[in-house]
Amino acid sequence: MSQKTLVMACFVSLLQDQEGEVRAAAVGHLAPMVHWGGAALFQTHLQSLLPALADDVVVEVRSKCALGLMDSTEGATLEDQTIVRAFTPLLENFLQDEYSEVQLHVLNNLSRISHLLPQMSGVVSAILNMSKASNWRVRQGVAKLLPHLASARGMDFFTSVLLEPAWIALLLDPVASVRTSCVNGLPQLVKVSGEEWMVSTLLPQHFKIYDHASSAYLIRMTVLRGHGKIATASQSGSLFYQVVDHLLRGLKDKVANVRLATSKSLLEICSSGECDESVVASQIRPAIEQAIQTEQDPDCQQYMQECLMKV
């Protein structure tokens, strides 16, 4: 028996210990042991133990097992098909665990294997169901993952399955961190979807939300911040022009926080150095020059002045 095999056998014994604290301590080293032992020892010694660990009565064991599995997917130690075959049913169970801590260890790391999601339909279904979870951190994890799902499953799937029940719902979420995660994912969504889909499918939805949010300034802020992200990602063309045109509406908003969010987004555009200079000069600069004449909020004034200095 080789030294590696002997050490792995000792590790297996600890993973099967009758004391939950011992199992939890051992499974915390699952990923390092997978990478150290390699694919062969994983398949002969560890793979068969995973279902029991994933279903352990001790939540700490399940939690550390979930994180260990996700960490094991890095570094190309395990082949993709091994991950799909061995991990898919376990990930489905983790995503349905009663404890959000377990769910989040998977959700927050699924982007590492997003290219495998087309082969994990049960995982994708579980993610969709979690967009309505009561725990806001779970909803935030789903929001972060949606652009990766668009990349993995394609825009037809995203439009028909994820757009309204997940994306739109999370963009309107009552928790700011969830909405912000949607906003921060927009540059990747632009990259994955392309200008035509954004203009024909997503922007009309965003415009509609904005127009119906006259009494909800936080939602107006969310949409405008999102358009700022889209603008810096697209840089030019019809998509860029349309989101900038809509973003400038925020300079006239009755709520100072909305004008501030707009000014910050415009500063990002003006500072990028890569956005369409003709639109910046002909649309953004005149709008800011007009707005700053009547602006009374000092923070808004500061960001508007910084924008003018950039252009």
Side-chain angles (χ1 to χ4, degrees):
M1 181 180 294
S2 68
Q3 184 177 8
K4 269 194 173 184
T5 303
L6 180 60
V7 172
M8 191 64 77
C10 294
F11 182 59
V12 167
S13 178
L14 294 172
L15 290 174
Q16 297 176 307
D17 196 275
Q18 63 180 356
E19 295 294 337
E21 291 184 2
V22 177
R23 297 195 303 276
V27 79
H29 300 281
L30 178 62
M33 290 298 289
V34 170
H35 295 307
W36 174 77
L41 287 181
F42 168 79
Q43 292 175 342
T44 57
H45 287 72
L46 299 178
Q47 184 173 334
S48 62
L49 302 180
L50 295 180
L53 292 169
D55 198 38
D56 201 284
V57 295
V58 179
V59 63
E60 186 180 3
V61 175
R62 301 198 306 274
S63 177
K64 289 185 175 181
C65 182
L67 182 59
L69 287 187
M70 300 313 298
D71 288 343
S72 298
T73 63
E74 292 195 309
T77 301
L78 303 177
E79 294 182 353
D80 284 351
Q81 288 310 305
T82 299
I83 294 173
V84 171
R85 183 174 59 254
F87 288 12
T88 297
L90 306 180
L91 298 182
E92 291 177 19
N93 288 338
F94 285 139
L95 289 173
Q96 298 176 51
D97 198 277
E98 61 181 313
Y99 288 93
S100 59
E101 173 189 344
V102 179
Q103 298 174 321
L104 288 169
H105 280 323
V106 176
L107 265 183
N108 292 338
N109 292 287
L110 265 179
S111 58
R112 299 175 181 178
I113 55 171
S114 60
H115 63 290
L116 299 178
L117 290 177
Q119 303 176 61
M120 298 179 168
S121 58
V123 172
V124 174
S125 297
I127 294 169
L128 180 58
N129 292 333
M130 295 170 74
S131 65
K132 302 175 183 178
S134 59
N135 187 300
W136 70 266
R137 289 183 176 83
V138 173
R139 301 196 305 274
Q140 181 185 37
V142 174
K144 290 179 179 179
L145 198 58
L146 288 178
H148 296 282
L149 284 173
S151 177
R153 298 298 301 267
M155 295 315 300
D156 287 342
F157 178 85
F158 187 91
T159 303
S160 61
V161 178
L162 298 176
L163 180 58
E164 291 197 14
W167 178 268
I168 298 301
L170 294 171
L171 191 69
L172 298 172
D173 197 273
V175 177
S177 295
V178 179
R179 300 194 302 272
T180 297
S181 293
C182 283
V183 168
N184 291 339
L186 278 166
Q188 184 178 353
L189 193 59
V190 171
K191 181 179 179 181
V192 171
S193 66
E195 179 177 290
E196 182 179 350
W197 184 87
M198 293 291 296
V199 170
S200 65
T201 305
L202 191 66
L203 285 192
Q205 294 273 11
H206 282 199
F207 292 160
K208 182 179 179 181
I209 290 171
Y210 186 89
D211 291 339
H212 285 78
S214 59
S215 61
Y217 80 92
L218 292 174
I219 298 301
R220 298 200 302 278
M221 285 177 60
T222 299
V223 173
L224 293 170
R225 288 173 53 231
H227 288 175
K229 295 291 186 182
I230 294 172
T232 54
S234 58
Q235 300 179 356
S236 62
S238 175
L239 175 59
F240 176 75
Y241 182 84
Q242 288 192 44
V243 291
V244 167
D245 183 63
H246 193 267
L247 183 59
L248 293 176
R249 293 175 61 181
L251 291 175
K252 301 177 182 179
D253 199 279
K254 61 185 178 181
V255 178
N257 282 351
V258 179
R259 301 195 302 275
L260 180 60
T262 301
S263 301
K264 288 181 177 180
S265 293
L266 290 172
L267 181 58
E268 289 183 12
I269 296 171
C270 296
S271 303
S272 71
E274 299 179 343
C275 293
D276 191 327
E277 293 182 0
S278 64
V279 174
V280 173
S282 65
Q283 301 292 325
I284 296 179
R285 184 183 180 92
I288 295 176
E289 288 176 337
Q290 181 180 2
I292 201 171
Q293 292 178 9
T294 56
E295 182 57 63
Q296 297 181 349
D297 185 271
D299 292 328
C300 294
Q301 290 176 350
Q302 177 186 342
Y303 279 98
M304 290 179 184
Q305 288 170 351
E306 290 185 28
C307 284
L308 293 177
M309 292 174 61
K310 295 293 183 180
V311 298

